[in-house]
Amino acid sequence: MAQSLDSATRDALAERLRFYRDLGLTEFYQRPVDPALMAQLAARPEEAQTETSQPVLFQEEAPIPSRKHISEPPQVVAAIPAADHAAALQIIRDEIGDCTRCALHKGRNKLVFADGDPNARLMFVGEGPGADEDAQGLPFVGKAGQLLNNMIGAMGLKREQVYIANVVKCRPPGNRTPEPEEGNTCSPFLFRQIDVVQPQVLVALGATAATYLLGMRQPLAGLRGRVHAFRGMQLIITYHPAYLLRDPRQKKEAWADLQIAMKELGLKPPSKA
Ligand code: SF4
């Protein structure tokens, strides 16, 4: 039997519901809720409507990526005060939990949520964890991560000053590209991370990140070298560091892309000693 809630507890629960809703964590509302609790919250029309509406965090039938596969990026949520970014990200991490929402959970050692400053002005988005990331639970810590660190350093920043996340949070077997169903299932969490951090500049590393951020698939060559408007931020698309390790000749092109990001951020390269 559910116990009756006092007014303070009810207000606290209502506030928590609003907080989740503002983050876009709509799945929270789909969990089984005690009917007695529902009845009490229904006394507050706004919360009652939220509880009984049917927002969907994950689509029952994920669209199949080819070009039509990519889900439209969700709408931007209201800005979250900078002081609350870390807590808001932790709520998203808690919501992911020990996730089994897609098949990638079967082969993972550690789920890779993100790394960096919750209030960063610059955010990088990659594809998914590799072997080193899967072992350590952090994004971009292998060879490609070392290159990314160097790229960040060349921009005059430290890794701790940026925020780094991936389209999928579990390692695809053999480092393959995430299947559409996997990307569509996991990327809503990425969008929520972006909406919390709200960087001024977002850099998509590689075609997979660009595809899910833009909601459409296009050749990388046609997307690089310019600024895309994205949810009130500037999106710049460049090569994935793993690709640059395979073809170092493209580093120059990637650096040109990063210089666009630097210009947007008002950064100058560190002077050589
Ligand atoms: Fe869950 Fe994302 Fe991992 Fe799939 S990749 S199991 S959706 S955390």
Side-chain angles (χ1 to χ4, degrees):
M1 288 288 287
Q3 294 181 344
S4 176
L5 296 177
D6 60 32
S7 156
T9 305
R10 189 173 64 183
D11 286 350
L13 280 170
E15 181 57 36
R16 186 169 174 82
L17 286 173
R18 273 194 292 273
F19 190 45
Y20 271 83
R21 183 191 57 200
D22 289 346
L23 289 181
L25 296 176
T26 50
E27 194 186 38
F28 174 80
Y29 305 119
Q30 296 175 325
R31 288 174 176 172
V33 179
D34 188 317
L37 174 60
M38 286 288 290
Q40 291 191 50
L41 288 173
R44 298 288 177 96
E46 187 185 0
E47 283 72 43
Q49 184 186 7
T50 308
E51 284 275 7
T52 53
S53 61
Q54 297 178 346
V56 206
L57 179 59
F58 300 114
Q59 298 169 359
E60 289 291 323
E61 296 178 1
I64 305 301
S66 58
R67 203 197 117 103
K68 298 174 186 162
H69 70 293
I70 306 296
S71 302
E72 282 297 311
Q75 296 298 307
V76 183
V77 298
I80 296 169
D84 294 339
H85 285 193
L89 290 169
Q90 186 58 50
I91 287 175
I92 298 171
R93 179 64 189 90
D94 292 346
E95 184 71 17
I96 295 173
D98 192 14
C99 185
T100 57
R101 292 171 177 89
C102 86
L104 292 183
H105 80 276
K106 294 176 188 166
R108 105 178 146 228
N109 287 303
K110 287 190 178 169
L111 190 148
V112 178
F113 181 66
D115 192 24
D117 181 359
N119 297 306
R121 294 172 62 215
L122 173 63
M123 176 170 175
F124 290 92
V125 175
E127 178 178 296
D132 293 309
E133 291 76 15
D134 177 64
Q136 296 187 41
L138 289 168
F140 285 94
V141 289
K143 284 186 181 168
Q146 287 169 15
L147 177 54
L148 179 61
N149 291 348
N150 289 337
M151 291 159 69
I152 293 168
M155 298 175 77
L157 295 170
K158 294 177 181 166
R159 179 180 167 112
E160 310 85 73
Q161 293 175 291
V162 306
Y163 192 79
I164 307 171
N166 285 312
V167 172
V168 293
K169 308 205 178 305
C170 302
R171 183 191 181 200
N175 294 346
R176 64 161 169 75
T177 302
E179 294 292 338
E181 193 173 333
E182 296 157 356
N184 274 331
T185 301
C186 202
S187 58
F189 291 119
L190 171 66
F191 282 105
R192 285 165 180 79
Q193 289 171 283
I194 293 170
D195 283 337
V196 168
V197 177
Q198 293 200 324
Q200 181 183 337
V201 174
L202 196 56
V203 176
L205 298 168
T208 299
T211 297
Y212 282 92
L213 291 176
L214 292 174
M216 61 182 180
R217 190 192 296 278
Q218 279 187 23
L220 202 64
L223 299 172
R224 288 190 41 255
R226 60 192 164 99
V227 177
H228 303 258
F230 177 80
R231 300 157 79 85
M233 307 158 209
Q234 280 106 40
L235 170 64
I236 290 150
I237 295 165
T238 192
Y239 296 116
H240 193 286
Y243 172 74
L244 296 176
L245 289 174
R246 293 195 298 273
D247 188 355
R249 293 170 301 171
Q250 304 303 329
K251 284 183 183 174
K252 201 171 162 187
E253 300 294 324
W255 177 235
D257 295 330
L258 294 184
Q259 285 180 303
I260 298 172
M262 291 168 65
K263 188 176 174 194
E264 295 297 324
L265 291 163
L267 294 174
K268 291 186 178 159
S271 55
K272 289 174 185 163

